[in-house]
Amino acid sequence: MPWMFLWHNGSAEMTDDHEAAEGKDHKKKTKPLGIELKNFLLSVVPHIEPAAINNPNSKHEMPSAEEVIQWSHSLAALLSTQRGQGAFREFLKSEFSDENIDFWLACEDYKQTQSDHLHDKAEKIYKEFVQSDAIKQINIDFHTRKVTAQKAQNPTPSSFDEAQKNVYLLMEKDSYPRFLKSRVYLNLLSKVQCNSLK
């Protein structure tokens, strides 16, 4: 399997890098983690310039410790902020399942659409996420896919509600608990908590 070969090579490179770092001082060993966190924060809040992350006077640009802690209360709390959505999307990308949050957000936007634009948006969402050969096909059962396809033909603001609910439950039961245990979330939480003590 090609993916196993690539994973194995990546693991070997990581081991080599780690072994090479063993002989260097501690500061050198932690640098990749700092760079990784910096890049993650840039992806969560893309409008922040790299200098803003390094500048202690721009703490307000990063999520607060309270906000990041709120994300651990529920998936709804995580998805209620743009930074939370961005952090979760980055995590889902690492698991190759970012189509779930993209679909969920597209449905949220769709519900706010004026009636004269519903048909165009419904068609776009259906083609991108629901149809059997969609580029970002979501993982829903056959019945839900069939019902959603029928509702998309004569769209209403609730056409995607059943599919959206299924995807939400999948994220809530599967991806969200792993996100809270992920290095990405725990590192960010630690960083913002340290910043709040300064």
Side-chain angles (χ1 to χ4, degrees):
M1 296 181 178
W3 63 271
M4 289 182 76
F5 178 75
L6 291 173
W7 175 256
H8 176 72
N9 284 347
S11 298
E13 288 173 6
M14 286 175 56
T15 304
D16 292 343
D17 289 345
H18 180 70
E19 288 170 2
E22 289 293 332
K24 297 180 182 176
D25 64 309
H26 180 69
K27 190 173 182 180
K28 291 286 185 185
K29 286 179 9 181
T30 59
K31 186 176 179 185
L33 178 60
I35 291 170
E36 181 181 324
L37 182 58
K38 180 177 172 182
N39 290 337
F40 168 73
L41 289 173
L42 285 171
S43 68
V44 173
V45 190
H47 65 277
I48 295 178
E49 295 299 321
I53 288 178
N54 295 327
N55 183 350
N57 295 326
S58 59
K59 285 183 194 173
H60 63 281
E61 298 286 358
M62 289 181 25
S64 67
E66 294 79 24
E67 180 180 352
V68 176
I69 290 168
Q70 281 285 330
W71 298 349
S72 68
H73 294 173
S74 67
L75 179 59
L78 175 65
L79 296 177
S80 69
T81 69
Q82 287 187 343
R83 290 179 181 140
Q85 293 168 10
F88 194 49
R89 176 182 280 120
E90 285 305 307
F91 171 74
L92 291 177
K93 276 184 186 176
S94 74
E95 294 203 331
F96 305 101
S97 60
D98 54 318
E99 70 279 355
N100 292 326
I101 192 168
D102 291 342
F103 173 71
W104 187 85
L105 290 170
C107 291
E108 288 298 293
D109 177 64
Y110 174 80
K111 291 176 190 177
Q112 306 302 318
T113 303
Q114 294 179 358
S115 58
D116 53 335
H117 297 290
L118 281 178
H119 190 273
D120 291 338
K121 277 197 179 178
E123 185 177 355
K124 182 180 179 195
I125 291 171
Y126 177 77
K127 286 181 178 178
E128 189 173 356
F129 299 103
V130 180
Q131 72 182 14
S132 58
D133 61 345
I135 295 171
K136 293 180 156 188
Q137 184 184 26
I138 52 171
N139 185 11
I140 53 175
D141 61 85
F142 175 78
H143 172 73
T144 304
R145 193 174 306 281
K146 184 177 176 183
V147 168
T148 304
Q150 291 169 348
K151 289 182 177 180
Q153 296 294 319
N154 298 306
T156 66
S158 62
S159 293
F160 295 98
D161 282 1
E162 186 177 351
Q164 185 185 23
K165 180 182 176 186
N166 286 355
V167 167
Y168 183 90
L169 291 174
L170 177 67
M171 291 190 298
E172 185 176 49
K173 291 178 181 176
D174 188 41
S175 305
Y176 176 65
R178 285 199 310 276
F179 168 74
L180 295 178
K181 295 175 185 172
S182 72
R183 192 169 132 183
V184 169
Y185 176 72
L186 295 175
N187 286 346
L188 179 60
L189 179 61
S190 175
K191 174 80 173 173
V192 297
Q193 284 176 330
C194 286
N195 283 350
S196 70
L197 296 174
K198 291 180 181 178

